[in-house]
Amino acid sequence: MLHYCLAHIAYHFSRQLPKRNRAKFQILLVLLVTIFLSPQLFVLVRPRSSRYCDQPLLHNLTTFIIFTFLMTGFTFLLTLMDPMPCELKAAFHTFGVGSFLQGVLTTAFTIAAPQCVNTTPELYYLSLVLSVLSMLATVFIVPLIPFWLLNNFYPGMLLNPGSRAGICHRPVADCSCLWYV
C-alpha cells in the first residue's frame, strides 16, 4: 500500500498548488522518486544480494521496483491531468489493491526470513524497512476506505461542493478531501 499512498499524497499536494506551479512540483517528484528508488536499485545490484535465502526476497524486491516505476507513472498522470478520466481512476485504484498485496507479501516474506540476515543483510534490512513503511501506509489508507465507499455509493452525502453541503463540508472547506481521487 506504500506506492498507492505515496501517489495519493502527491496527488493531494499537487491540487493545493496553482496549475502554473505544478511544473516545479514535477521536478520535486523526480528528485523524491530518485531518492526512493536509489536504495532499492543499490541493493538489487549488490553481489551479496544474489546469495541464497530461503525466502524470495530478491524476487520481491524486483517486484517492488516495478511497482515503484508504476507509482511514478501514476503520480505524474495524477498531478498533470486536471479533469481525471474514470478509466485512470479505476486503474489507479486497481493499482492500490496490487500495492496492498505487494505490501502484505513483503511483510510475510520478511517475517519468514530472519535467517537471511546472515546471508543477505542488505536485502533483509531493506525488506524490513519496506515492510514497516507498507504497514504504516496501510494504517493511513484503510480508515479512508469507508469514506471512499460512501462517496461512491451515495454521492453528495459526505461532500457536495456545488451546494456547500454534506457531512464533511465544514472540516474540508479550505482543503480537498483525502478520500477523493
Side-chain angles (χ1 to χ4, degrees):
M1 186 109 325
L2 176 63
H3 296 101
Y4 181 77
C5 182
L6 291 176
H8 188 75
I9 289 171
Y11 167 77
H12 282 288
F13 275 136
S14 74
R15 292 301 182 239
Q16 298 301 319
L17 299 172
K19 287 184 183 181
R20 66 182 182 280
N21 287 344
R22 290 188 188 168
K24 296 173 189 175
F25 186 68
Q26 296 290 332
I27 294 169
L28 178 66
L29 283 176
V30 168
L31 292 173
L32 291 175
V33 166
T34 304
I35 290 169
F36 184 66
L37 192 59
S38 295
Q40 295 175 43
L41 292 175
F42 175 75
V43 170
L44 182 68
V45 298
R46 299 268 306 161
R48 288 173 54 169
S49 295
S50 62
R51 290 183 185 169
Y52 178 73
C53 180
D54 287 343
Q55 297 298 320
L57 294 180
L58 188 63
H59 298 297
N60 189 49
L61 177 63
T62 306
T63 308
F64 211 88
I65 291 171
I66 292 168
F67 268 85
T68 303
F69 282 117
L70 289 172
M71 175 201 68
T72 305
F74 274 117
T75 302
F76 281 107
L77 286 175
L78 291 174
T79 56
L80 284 176
M81 299 179 96
D82 205 5
M84 213 174 334
C86 292
E87 294 84 8
L88 180 60
K89 288 181 185 181
F92 180 63
H93 293 307
T94 304
F95 170 73
V97 171
S99 179
F100 172 72
L101 294 175
Q102 174 64 33
V104 168
L105 285 175
T106 301
T107 304
F109 290 151
T110 305
I111 289 172
Q115 73 281 3
C116 292
V117 73
N118 298 327
T119 56
T120 57
E122 296 95 354
L123 183 61
Y124 176 77
Y125 288 124
L126 180 66
S127 293
L128 187 64
V129 168
L130 294 175
S131 297
V132 170
L133 290 175
S134 294
M135 286 187 288
L136 289 174
T138 302
V139 167
F140 175 73
I141 292 291
V142 165
L144 299 177
I145 292 174
F147 293 107
W148 286 333
L149 293 174
L150 278 173
N151 197 36
N152 245 359
F153 293 118
Y154 302 105
M157 179 182 164
L158 293 175
L159 181 67
N160 191 347
S163 66
R164 297 179 183 242
I167 298 169
C168 298
H169 178 69
R170 295 296 295 175
V172 296
D174 293 329
C175 63
S176 61
C177 300
L178 286 177
W179 63 83
Y180 184 75
V181 169

